[in-house]
Amino acid sequence: MYAVDPRRSTSAQWADVWMGIDVGSDIALANTVGREIIRAGLVNTEFVRRATTGFEEYAEAVEPFTLAEGERLTGVPADLIASLAHDYARADRAQLCWTLGITEHHSATDNVLALCDLSLLTGHVGRFGSGLVPLRGQNNVQGGGDMGALPNKFPGFQDVENDDIRAKFDARWGVSVPPTRGWHLSQMFDAMEHGELRALYVLGENPAQSEADTPRAVHLLEGLDHLVVQDIFLTKTAQLADVVLPAALAAFESEGTVTSSERRVQRLRPALQPPEGARDDLEIICELARRLGSDWGHPSAEEVWDECRSLSPMHTGMRYDRLESLGGIQWPCPSEDHPGTPFLHGRLWAEDPDKRGNPAPFMPVAFEPPLDELSEEFPLRLTTGRRLDSFNTGVQSNGYASPLRRPETLDLSPEDMASLGVGEGEVVRITSRRGSISAPVHLERSLRPGLAFMTFHFPDQVNTNVLTLDTWDPKSGTAEFKATAIRVERLPDAVGAAPVLETAEAG
Amino acid sequence: MTTLAPAPTPVALRRRIELSIDGEAVTVAEGTTILQACRTLGIEVPTLCYLETLAPVNVCRVCVVEVEGSRALVPSCSRPVAPGMVVRTGSERVRTSRRMVLELLASSVDLSTAGGDVHRWIDEYGANADRHGPAGGPTARDRAHAGHHEASAVGEAATVAQVVKRDNDQYVRDYSKCILCYKCVEACGEEAQNTFAIAVAGRGFDARISTEFDVALPDSACVYCGNCIGVCPTGALMFVSEHDLRASGEWDESRQEVTRTVCPYCGVGCNLELHVQDNRIVKVTSPLDHDVTRGNLCVKGRFGFEFAQGG
Amino acid sequence: MDLRTIDASPSAEERLAVDSVLGAPESGWFGGERTPLDGHVAIGGLSLAESRRHLLLPALHALQARVGSISPAGLGYLATRLDLPPAEAYGVASAYALFSFEPTPSVVVHVCDDVACRAAAGGDPTDELAQRHGPAGSGTAVTWWPSPCLGHCEHGSAALVQVAGVRGGRGSIAPFAIGDMDRLVAMGAELDVEDLAVPLALVPQAGAGSTRLLRRVGQVDPASLDSYRAAGGYRSLRRALDLGPAGVIAELKDAKLLGRGGAAFPTGAKWEAVARNPLRPHYFVANADESEPGTFKDRVLLDHDPYALIEALTIAGITTGAEKGFVYLRGEYPVAARRLEHAAAEARNRGLLGVDVMGSGLTFDLEVRQGAGAYIAGEETALFNSLEGRRPEPRNKPPYPVDRGLFDKPTGVNNVETLLSVLDILAVGAAAYAAIGTPDSTGTRLFCLSGRVEHPGLYEVPMGTTLGALLEMAGGVAGGRPLRAVLMGGAAGSFVGPGDLDLPLSFEGVRAAGTTLGSGVVVVLDDTVDTTAFVGRIAQFFRDESCGQCVPCRVGTQRQEEILGRLAAGRPLGSVDDELALLADLDQVMRDASICGLGQTASSVVMSALRRGLIGNGAPQGNGRNP
């Protein structure tokens, strides 16, 4: 196992090799690996010939990424990059797994494409045990997309801009769905800024704390004509709202389905009575529809699901009782006798060209370092992330007494703590090109000099996202949370205090 | 490499093995254990250290059976069947060993919160803990040095009684109830969590589950996944909520409903079994037969439910 | 793994101790200074950690020897160096008696109070010690603890001295008198274990010409390879290379050699099974974890004829296709450890170990590893776990070692006497060897005579020699007193009585009599020995040495000790018959349901003593014979 992460995380401790790349150099690493696989003659040429297009363009695009160049761009020694390339290409089965370290960059989609290219190069896709595995951070982030919570998709990833598809939905729903795509989250905030978006209905999100460049997000939310928030808590966003709709907790208090990382649709069942006044999301939405002049009745969760199955071919076979007896089903599941699909893209291996279908295109991508450049003024690279026992902005996780919990800190390498002259627990000022906050310092040996780390689990204590850059990936709409340039300064009343570094030697 | 064919999914095309259990012929797949073969015949074999999601450690020895040609009894949980094997599960030898294993445990361990089966077996096999003498009191077992021991007071039956360890807000460790089945160590280690916060330390009657130098859990590698609680057969490891409700006499399983749902946190899709009493979650388990995590959870799924009940 | 290291800094001494075994740290992630490269690279992971784990026990020894205890910081540093979870390292270390986890006086004297010394002393050998120097564990610079058998039984008293410091280590004193303790207390930390005199070996037949396994003891210089060769050493290896593996195995089969470890498994068949196993690599282990109370034969052989084991293990390795061998020596034999290490180094220097053994083109090398005070580590699968850096707990069998042994690979394992018998077979030829002894028990056998015998010591006799003849060689019962009983086979053995002197000492002979040769223990008890206390000590031994893995042995040995305590005090629970019924039930569950031979034999002596009326008021139970 190779772990690629700027920090030597817990997962990286498992790895045979940990590669501590410079933040945001993922494409440089992937392209260097790709070039080395080609150079060493380890390309799965049969697979590439039969199942892909664009290899020549890809090979040309990665040609500048020599091992030496890869080392220069990523900070990882060339020989290790070469061994990664060789081991990955030679492995009988190999997976590339990733989380937000790949996607919370301005080049999020390109980062993913660079990895897809490697899987095509080696044929590590569409086979049992080989593939591309994006690990989802929320229990239903996959399901949200599946159900059409995307600007341009109906449930089942059916394109809103496709007339035939739209006609199917129009007929079933008895309405005329607008033929153009909507906005994604980052575009919505831009639209608010330009005055094009004046009213917002937020369900179960807390953008006032979770968005990058928080002051701007709050300012824009405050500027709306009308803000409706439906949540189980009076979140910071809900506090800005004109109307708050108290909701039952989806996971424990209502009926429905969620879809996990592996595309497995599973049933939720209510275990608790919701608090007085809180209502099921489904009930609220139907009631809202009724008041807006469209009576949808009082459908059960299963009835809503059955409608979805009738419109989304990849969900068609997922009857409730089948979800129950099979312990969930992985899409696509096109019919009620279909067992579900443990892995995708197996068609690329079909002998029969008709079954193989369209070849998978190589998508060469260019490397561009993080936008928030390091400078003399902002010399440290801050990257953000999660801790095991906490969850996002802490709305759910801060309620339980986790024995692992410690408050927000600015994690620094022992070397940086020494050169800054700061001690464990000392509160310092952290400044980026967007704003400034203060937080206590924590010594963290998993960090190298020049690299700092914070979470955003405790926004009420330290609002980390004041610092982050909200420039987003034009393709996915994700902001570059992972790469911020900062400087750290001692607070005036702390100057002169003796730095405490007794744990620096700890094995 | 230029393999083009998809790697085959492992398929169980195993040889069939014929054997006899209690005089009845049975045919099972190669690799089946004697225990599994007994279960296909509906023969109950008691188990304590066995769990279908863990590799058998065969240490409790309550599942022993007689196999013709074998000098000693054989642990059915781990021994694979062999062609022509003749197994007896109810012979006097087998019953004596099972009775004695239960008796030795009942005389040295507090089994008051062990599962109902354990008490039924104690009755069925006629295990009598009392004939080993009155139970000895609590001792400081965590400092026992291998090979050094004082003989217990004449007339007393030594026990593993000791002070309850309560060093964090989520679960308690009452090793007076520990039968040393190794399951928690396996679940914390390579069978599930791979955290290795605990191990078996010491030896002999002084063997115990321990962190390094018996440090408190917050000073150990523990990540509070609670997978150890999930596999503990005796209630030695217990949610604080359950422990306190039991202490106050309010724990009442007849008033509890168990609902299976999906964890509200990350995207793995772990299934939760919420144990609810009086509209409050009092314990969280995970189904062993669900193949996403086979009974295992993380700290958030196991303990992170307070937000749902207003603190 | 969620490795969380112990948050304490090791002392310079602790670092040096660990580094003396593991070398300098590879990187800042594993105990070294952080370098810029560490910011971008860590090479580690489970497979690397697994491949280094076998160094745990040697490194624990180094810490104990240098610092006198295993501190949290020391263990933390070691765990970091090995990328091993600290709880696992602690779990392993705490299973051994020779490691301590609290600050300890720099000199610790382990004084034998086990069966042979107890029989020789006619009581508890530590009583006087406790009166003069305080109870066990007391003392600030020097302390003492009672110890299970230290393998110097022929002297009737013995101590193992553990000294902490730069020149720390272990040394033996035997015989051990109260004056020795006075001297140790006077010297305190000044003591250098290397200065302790090497205990003599009592081998009454030495130089008599009739011995085979013992023929070089006392006749060769144990430090000199030339001396060994001059006495015929390495001729057997030469012959083995000439015969080739198939030829050697045929010789062992023709010689009908049965293992001397207790199970009497045919050695030729075992070697053949390893040699034929297609899985690679193969390993061969010499089991020198001689810990059966009353046994001292390995100590005598390894202290005084160390090259013989090196040669024999080399033959075993090249015959079974193993390129790597281990000698697992009990930690209580520091002299043997030094001499074996020296012998192996000399052999390596002279081309008798290494890449081209005796010019054959074959590779074989070995390492000497020391136990740390755990009888159970002598069980072959527990021994593998110990070598691998795991808790010395027996594994479930099957699989057997020839299929999956050390590091899960095909492994041959024989005890020292068996291996040395191979040398003899190759020296004289299978036919000549098979002509010695009985048709089913060929060759000679070593017997460790101790207790109330006139001339205690190590004896070698042809298989089938009667017990009476053996006792006669040793001058009979000391002082001509009446014989009460003889403990055969050690703590896992059983008693025979004055009426059993015609017992032929062969595998088939003792089997017919319901007893065992075991490891060749013969402890002689006369009418002055308190046999109840003697049997109680054996019950205590099993209670202390059980690994604790399985319920029958873990709790059963505790309960057995309790019952014997009640019987000795004359305070049975209920009637004596109730207690005897309980003992019988314990005997059955331990024999039938324990994982390994320790538990399966833990009640053997007790039941035998009951049958012979050696417990309490002396009324025999049953017919008095072993079943």
Side-chain angles (χ1 to χ4, degrees):
Chain A
M1 172 171 140
Y2 285 77
V4 179
D5 193 318
R7 300 182 298 148
R8 187 165 180 257
S9 63
T10 305
S11 308
Q13 286 188 6
W14 278 73
D16 300 293
V17 178
W18 165 67
M19 299 175 135
I21 60 167
D22 287 334
V23 175
S25 64
D26 308 84
I27 290 174
L29 179 66
N31 284 355
T32 307
V33 168
R35 182 188 183 276
E36 176 61 17
I37 289 171
I38 296 168
R39 189 208 59 77
L42 296 172
V43 174
N44 190 330
T45 48
E46 272 296 289
F47 179 80
V48 167
R49 183 180 61 76
R50 294 184 7 165
T52 71
T53 57
F55 171 73
E56 297 305 325
E57 293 80 355
Y58 175 75
E60 201 175 310
V62 299
E63 181 53 31
F65 291 88
T66 61
L67 289 173
E69 182 68 358
E71 174 169 329
R72 189 182 70 80
L73 294 172
T74 65
V76 175
D79 58 332
L80 279 183
I81 302 177
S83 77
L84 167 60
H86 291 223
D87 286 347
Y88 176 67
R90 287 178 198 275
D92 182 27
R93 291 147 203 236
Q95 301 182 5
L96 298 173
C97 307
W98 68 87
T99 62
L100 301 177
I102 285 292
T103 49
E104 286 185 346
H105 285 286
H106 77 281
S107 54
T109 307
D110 286 353
N111 285 0
V112 174
L113 291 175
L115 299 178
C116 294
D117 288 339
L118 294 180
S119 74
L120 294 179
L121 205 52
T122 53
H124 284 316
V125 65
R127 293 190 303 138
F128 183 82
S130 271
L132 295 150
V133 188
L135 300 164
R136 301 299 199 177
Q138 277 100 4
N139 78 337
N140 200 31
V141 70
Q142 179 70 49
D146 296 354
M147 290 300 109
L150 294 170
N152 57 338
K153 300 289 180 189
F154 285 115
F157 298 103
Q158 300 173 88
D159 203 328
V160 164
E161 291 166 348
N162 179 314
D163 294 342
D164 295 338
I165 300 278
R166 215 170 48 254
K168 179 171 73 170
F169 281 87
D170 286 354
R172 175 69 199 248
W173 288 346
V175 296
S176 179
V177 176
T180 50
R181 63 176 63 202
W183 289 315
H184 60 58
L185 185 56
S186 303
Q187 286 169 326
M188 286 190 213
F189 277 93
D190 285 356
M192 288 180 223
E193 192 152 45
H194 304 137
E196 296 168 70
L197 179 63
R198 313 282 298 276
L200 195 64
Y201 176 21
V202 178
L203 288 88
E205 275 275 344
N206 185 18
Q209 288 186 308
S210 64
E211 287 304 286
D213 197 350
T214 306
R216 170 177 176 261
V218 171
H219 173 73
L220 293 174
L221 290 169
E222 283 172 341
L224 288 166
D225 291 351
H226 193 65
L227 175 61
V228 181
V229 173
Q230 180 170 325
D231 208 302
I232 60 170
F233 290 118
L234 194 64
T235 60
K236 280 278 187 285
T237 310
Q239 288 168 27
L240 302 175
D242 299 289
V243 177
V244 178
L245 300 169
L249 170 60
F252 297 163
E253 293 167 354
S254 60
E255 187 88 28
T257 64
V258 288
T259 310
S260 68
S261 271
E262 54 170 1
R263 298 167 282 101
R264 182 190 296 256
V265 178
Q266 302 193 90
R267 286 187 56 194
L268 296 176
R269 298 169 192 81
L272 298 174
Q273 297 293 323
E276 181 91 40
R279 291 203 260 176
D280 196 289
D281 287 326
L282 178 56
E283 194 185 328
I284 296 174
I285 292 167
C286 288
E287 183 60 20
L288 204 58
R290 196 179 62 78
R291 302 220 187 158
L292 290 169
S294 198
D295 190 351
W296 298 348
H298 299 281
S300 69
E302 184 170 6
E303 285 164 344
V304 173
W305 178 248
D306 285 340
E307 177 187 310
C308 173
R309 293 200 295 130
S310 72
L311 288 164
S312 169
M314 69 186 212
H315 293 107
T316 299
M318 296 185 179
R319 265 194 344 249
Y320 255 32
D321 63 320
R322 295 192 75 218
L323 292 176
E324 179 88 37
S325 61
L326 296 176
I329 300 175
Q330 290 170 276
W331 61 248
C333 176
S335 63
E336 294 188 1
D337 56 2
H338 192 283
T341 309
F343 58 89
L344 299 178
H345 312 303
R347 66 171 177 86
L348 294 173
W349 292 91
E351 291 291 324
D352 177 352
D354 289 340
K355 286 188 181 151
R356 209 182 305 144
N358 289 335
F362 277 95
M363 304 282 273
V365 292
F367 169 62
E368 197 182 294
L371 298 177
D372 205 17
E373 286 176 20
L374 299 180
S375 65
E376 261 182 50
E377 201 185 346
F378 299 103
L380 286 176
R381 176 61 77 200
L382 172 72
T383 193
T384 62
R386 275 93 172 153
R387 294 189 199 143
L388 171 66
D389 63 332
S390 295
F391 191 69
N392 295 341
T393 58
V395 170
Q396 282 172 228
S397 58
N398 289 355
Y400 78 104
S402 166
L404 295 170
R405 185 164 303 132
R406 54 184 178 81
E408 186 66 85
T409 52
L410 171 70
D411 295 355
L412 289 175
S413 68
E415 294 85 353
D416 284 336
M417 281 179 69
S419 64
L420 288 162
V422 297
E424 177 77 23
E426 180 179 331
V427 176
V428 294
R429 175 150 296 279
I430 310 150
T431 308
S432 78
R433 292 188 174 94
R434 284 149 301 282
S436 188
I437 56 172
S438 51
V441 165
H442 175 66
L443 183 146
E444 183 51 64
R445 284 175 57 87
S446 68
L447 296 170
R448 63 174 162 268
L451 184 61
F453 178 81
M454 294 182 77
T455 81
F456 43 87
H457 295 314
F458 312 98
D460 297 341
Q461 176 213 350
V462 177
N463 198 350
T464 307
N465 280 331
V466 166
L467 302 171
T468 49
L469 178 67
D470 70 345
T471 306
W472 38 272
D473 172 30
K475 296 177 196 165
S476 70
T478 311
E480 188 155 66
F481 290 98
K482 292 292 181 186
T484 304
I486 59 164
R487 70 166 173 270
V488 174
E489 295 154 303
R490 302 190 73 193
L491 294 176
D493 54 358
V495 174
V500 184
L501 267 175
E502 76 270 29
T503 51
E505 285 298 299
Chain B
M1 81 165 223
T2 54
T3 314
L4 257 182
T9 311
V11 179
L13 281 174
R14 295 185 289 171
R15 203 155 63 96
R16 307 295 291 176
I17 304 279
E18 196 177 325
L19 70 156
S20 141
I21 301 178
D22 294 342
E24 199 171 333
V26 58
T27 305
V28 293
E30 185 174 24
T32 304
T33 62
I34 297 175
L35 177 68
Q36 289 163 337
C38 286
R39 288 183 174 175
T40 65
L41 288 179
I43 296 170
E44 187 188 35
V45 175
T47 59
L48 290 169
C49 69
Y50 173 80
L51 195 68
E52 47 270 39
T53 53
L54 303 173
V57 291
N58 59 75
V59 298
C60 79
R61 316 303 279 188
V62 81
C63 74
V64 287
V65 295
E66 200 170 336
V67 172
E68 220 167 79
S70 182
R71 188 173 45 84
L73 299 177
V74 163
S76 64
C77 67
S78 63
R79 180 66 60 85
V81 296
M85 200 178 236
V86 177
V87 176
R88 279 184 286 275
T89 72
S91 68
E92 199 46 46
R93 265 180 87 193
V94 168
R95 293 191 60 84
T96 300
S97 274
R98 289 185 186 168
R99 169 172 60 81
M100 286 305 294
V101 165
L102 291 165
E103 195 170 295
L104 290 173
L105 287 175
S107 71
S108 57
V109 182
D110 171 4
L111 296 177
S112 60
T113 52
D117 284 344
V118 176
H119 297 283
R120 181 167 57 78
W121 293 327
I122 286 174
D123 288 344
E124 280 179 15
Y125 285 90
N128 174 14
D130 293 342
R131 65 183 186 134
H132 296 270
T139 53
R141 293 172 52 81
D142 291 310
R143 285 296 178 198
H145 184 114
H148 293 175
H149 93 283
E150 300 274 333
S152 41
V154 173
E156 262 182 14
T159 68
V160 299
Q162 58 194 295
V163 175
V164 176
K165 291 183 199 295
R166 184 165 184 162
D167 53 17
N168 70 86
D169 288 333
Q170 293 302 340
Y171 74 102
V172 293
R173 296 177 291 152
D174 183 357
Y175 289 125
S176 302
K177 297 176 176 175
C178 176
I179 59 169
L180 213 69
C181 69
Y182 285 57
K183 283 181 192 165
C184 59
V185 175
E186 299 293 313
C188 185
E190 61 186 20
E191 291 277 335
Q193 188 61 26
N194 280 277
T195 285
F196 303 97
I198 47 172
V200 177
R203 75 184 186 207
F205 193 73
D206 302 325
R208 60 214 177 250
I209 307 296
S210 182
T211 57
E212 62 274 16
F213 295 90
D214 183 40
V215 298
L217 285 183
D219 295 324
S220 78
C222 178
V223 292
Y224 305 91
C225 62
N227 292 330
C228 53
I229 309 172
V231 299
C232 179
T234 60
L237 306 173
M238 199 179 267
F239 274 65
V240 160
S241 47
E242 177 175 350
H243 188 263
D244 289 353
L245 284 172
R246 283 180 184 276
S248 65
E250 294 169 88
W251 180 260
D252 184 355
E253 285 177 17
S254 70
R255 276 160 53 213
Q256 290 174 12
E257 276 211 46
V258 182
T259 306
R260 186 190 283 204
T261 188
V262 179
C263 178
Y265 287 100
C266 84
V268 172
C270 302
N271 282 22
L272 305 180
E273 290 165 335
L274 304 174
H275 299 240
V276 175
Q277 180 176 327
D278 302 334
N279 206 36
R280 289 190 70 80
I281 298 168
V282 293
K283 179 163 83 170
V284 177
T285 55
S286 180
L288 298 182
D289 61 356
H290 193 262
D291 61 8
V292 169
T293 56
R294 293 165 54 86
N296 297 305
L297 295 172
C298 80
V299 58
K300 299 186 289 298
R302 183 82 62 181
F303 297 116
F305 53 79
E306 279 302 322
F307 75 98
Q309 43 198 22
Chain C
M1 62 213 113
D2 298 310
L3 273 190
R4 172 162 169 164
T5 48
I6 292 174
D7 198 13
S9 300
S11 68
E13 290 295 298
E14 287 169 328
R15 277 179 185 274
L16 286 168
V18 172
D19 293 354
S20 73
V21 175
L22 304 181
E26 296 82 7
S27 77
W29 295 112
F30 302 109
E33 293 288 316
R34 273 159 70 100
T35 66
L37 185 62
D38 290 329
H40 290 281
V41 176
I43 307 290
L46 282 174
S47 51
L48 186 66
E50 276 298 303
S51 74
R52 295 166 53 85
R53 184 173 180 145
H54 69 101
L55 295 168
L56 177 60
L57 194 51
L60 286 168
H61 268 307
L63 274 173
Q64 176 72 36
R66 187 127 182 173
V67 188
S69 66
I70 314 288
S71 76
L75 188 79
Y77 179 65
L78 172 53
T80 300
R81 290 295 320 274
L82 292 178
D83 204 12
L84 187 67
E88 289 255 305
Y90 180 74
V92 172
S94 61
Y96 294 98
L98 292 183
F99 299 137
S100 44
F101 300 92
E102 322 211 3
T104 302
S106 59
V107 178
V108 180
V109 187
H110 301 268
V111 182
C112 178
D113 73 340
D114 213 329
V115 285
C117 291
R118 184 174 288 261
D124 187 335
T126 64
D127 284 348
E128 191 189 356
L129 197 62
Q131 280 167 21
R132 178 100 67 105
H133 292 284
S138 61
T140 50
V142 179
T143 190
W144 74 274
W145 288 98
S147 170
C149 179
L150 291 167
H152 295 272
C153 318
E154 80 269 40
H155 297 294
S157 60
L160 175 77
V161 186
Q162 240 179 329
V163 180
V166 176
R167 294 181 53 74
R170 298 185 295 283
S172 298
I173 303 176
F176 178 78
I178 195 78
D180 294 304
M181 187 67 187
D182 298 343
R183 202 159 47 252
L184 291 173
V185 169
M187 290 177 75
E190 300 298 303
L191 179 70
D192 187 333
V193 287
E194 306 252 352
D195 293 342
L196 292 173
V198 172
L200 299 176
L202 299 187
V203 183
Q205 295 162 293
S210 60
T211 58
R212 315 188 67 85
L213 301 171
L214 293 175
R215 68 181 186 277
R216 286 178 299 269
V217 171
Q219 310 301 308
V220 297
D221 174 358
S224 165
L225 179 54
D226 290 331
S227 170
Y228 178 67
R229 295 194 82 152
Y234 279 103
R235 281 186 206 158
S236 296
L237 175 59
R238 180 75 266 157
R239 176 134 192 273
L241 289 170
D242 293 345
L243 288 171
V248 172
I249 288 165
E251 282 283 285
L252 298 184
K253 288 182 165 180
D254 291 346
K256 297 207 277 187
L257 177 65
L258 302 180
R260 271 42 171 157
F265 192 84
T267 306
K270 183 187 282 187
W271 288 26
E272 187 171 44
V274 179
R276 283 188 176 169
N277 196 311
L279 204 63
R280 287 287 188 280
H282 294 179
Y283 294 99
F284 211 103
V285 177
N287 184 349
D289 192 49
E290 171 173 83
S291 305
E292 187 68 43
T295 316
F296 52 90
K297 56 182 180 157
D298 291 0
R299 188 206 94 231
V300 170
L301 292 167
L302 300 178
D303 278 4
H304 300 283
D305 192 15
Y307 287 99
L309 182 64
I310 305 291
E311 182 187 359
L313 187 53
T314 307
I315 293 168
I318 61 170
T319 304
T320 57
E323 295 193 339
K324 176 89 192 220
F326 289 90
V327 177
Y328 189 92
L329 179 70
R330 72 179 302 206
E332 291 83 350
Y333 287 173
V335 174
R338 289 196 289 271
R339 290 184 171 175
L340 278 169
E341 297 270 16
H342 175 77
E346 285 294 295
R348 209 171 284 122
N349 286 341
R350 306 272 280 271
L352 298 169
L353 279 179
V355 289
D356 183 19
V357 172
M358 220 180 223
S360 64
L362 297 172
T363 295
F364 180 79
D365 210 334
L366 61 83
E367 276 184 59
V368 179
R369 291 289 176 86
Q370 295 188 64
Y375 170 71
I376 189 57
E379 197 281 340
E380 56 191 14
T381 57
L383 188 157
F384 299 150
N385 280 340
S386 180
L387 277 175
E388 291 178 15
R390 301 174 201 288
R391 284 173 57 81
E393 292 175 352
R395 302 174 184 171
N396 208 42
K397 290 190 274 191
Y400 294 97
V402 295
D403 294 319
R404 282 166 55 194
L406 184 62
F407 303 118
D408 226 22
K409 293 293 190 290
T411 303
V413 54
N414 281 126
N415 78 344
V416 173
E417 186 179 347
T418 310
L419 287 167
L420 263 54
S421 299
V422 171
L423 287 187
D424 196 29
I425 290 166
L426 291 172
V428 302
Y433 186 87
I436 305 166
T438 73
D440 291 328
S441 299
T442 57
T444 59
R445 187 73 213 257
L446 297 173
F447 288 95
C448 307
L449 271 72
S450 65
R452 312 293 281 184
V453 61
E454 191 65 38
H455 301 297
L458 185 59
Y459 290 82
E460 181 179 5
V461 294
M463 286 277 199
T465 303
T466 64
L467 176 61
L470 179 65
L471 292 182
E472 209 161 291
M473 287 173 75
V477 179
R481 296 198 67 91
L483 177 66
R484 177 89 189 272
V486 178
L487 176 65
M488 299 288 298
S494 59
F495 291 103
V496 296
D500 299 311
L501 294 178
D502 57 350
L503 176 70
L505 299 173
S506 61
F507 291 117
E508 63 279 10
V510 292
R511 198 178 304 125
T515 184
T516 175
L517 295 179
S519 52
V521 170
V522 178
V523 183
V524 178
L525 309 183
D526 66 12
D527 59 342
T528 67
V529 175
D530 176 353
T531 51
T532 302
F534 184 90
V535 175
R537 180 65 184 87
I538 289 176
Q540 182 203 328
F541 176 81
F542 282 111
R543 191 276 186 204
D544 279 346
E545 299 294 340
S546 165
C547 77
Q549 196 183 185
C550 69
V551 175
C553 175
R554 178 176 78 239
V555 190
T557 55
Q558 168 69 31
R559 292 287 177 259
Q560 179 173 266
E561 185 194 31
E562 287 168 5
I563 299 169
L564 288 175
R566 295 197 293 266
L567 291 176
R571 289 169 51 192
L573 265 176
S575 68
V576 170
D577 281 348
D578 290 339
E579 297 283 38
L580 297 179
L582 197 47
L583 279 175
D585 276 353
L586 288 173
D587 170 54
Q588 191 171 341
V589 69
M590 287 198 281
R591 264 193 299 119
D592 261 354
S594 294
I595 290 177
C596 79
L598 186 151
Q600 289 166 7
T601 58
S603 55
S604 169
V605 163
V606 174
M607 298 312 284
S608 164
L610 281 176
R611 284 188 298 268
R612 291 182 176 276
L614 298 175
I615 294 178
N617 64 8
Q621 307 297 319
N623 65 6
R625 307 289 300 188
N626 294 315

